[in-house]
Amino acid sequence: MSAWHDIAAEADVTVGNPAIARIGGREIGVMRDPRTNDLIAIRNRCPHSGARLCLGTVAQRIEGEVGGDYQLVDRTVVVCPWHGWEFDASTGECIEDPSFRVAAYPVRVEDGRVLVEA
Ligand code: FES
């Protein structure tokens, strides 16, 4: 059964400064999207080899061919700090291999507090 959990003060979650909490035996991190300023809530464990994913970066997705043209696309990703795999910030789907996924959670702000449903 899911419930809303108070994670942090909204003002404390800034770009590069995630808030991480343990909920029901899982670490969940809330990160700030530098592109939209929205909040992102994901599980703090990379499904590849277990890195603490919320210690990675949040960035606008860059697409293109190796040695070719690159372009920024309308998609935010969380980049794992260990091997650089990228996960869609909204869905948790791994860009490199969609068979991998990290849990993404609903997040909202109420009275200046960040709440996550988990
Ligand atoms: S542990 Fe995250 S990409 Fe390898």
Side-chain angles (χ1 to χ4, degrees), residues 37-83:
N37 207 39
D38 290 342
L39 295 171
I40 298 159
I42 61 169
R43 187 167 181 197
N44 191 25
R45 186 178 190 284
C46 180
H48 177 225
S49 293
R52 296 184 79 202
L53 192 53
C54 297
L55 300 184
T57 56
V58 181
Q60 187 170 3
R61 168 87 174 146
I62 299 171
E63 292 183 352
E65 299 298 321
V66 174
D69 291 330
Y70 297 91
Q71 57 197 343
L72 292 166
V73 297
D74 188 24
R75 188 177 201 183
T76 298
V77 292
V78 178
V79 184
C80 180
W82 282 6
H83 308 108

Side-chain angles (χ1 to χ4, degrees), residues 19-50:
I20 298 172
R22 181 168 288 277
I23 300 172
R26 279 171 276 171
E27 277 194 358
I28 296 173
V30 177
M31 306 169 85
R32 180 75 68 179
D33 182 341
R35 184 172 68 93
T36 64
N37 207 39
D38 290 342
L39 295 171
I40 298 159
I42 61 169
R43 187 167 181 197
N44 191 25
R45 186 178 190 284
C46 180
H48 177 225
S49 293

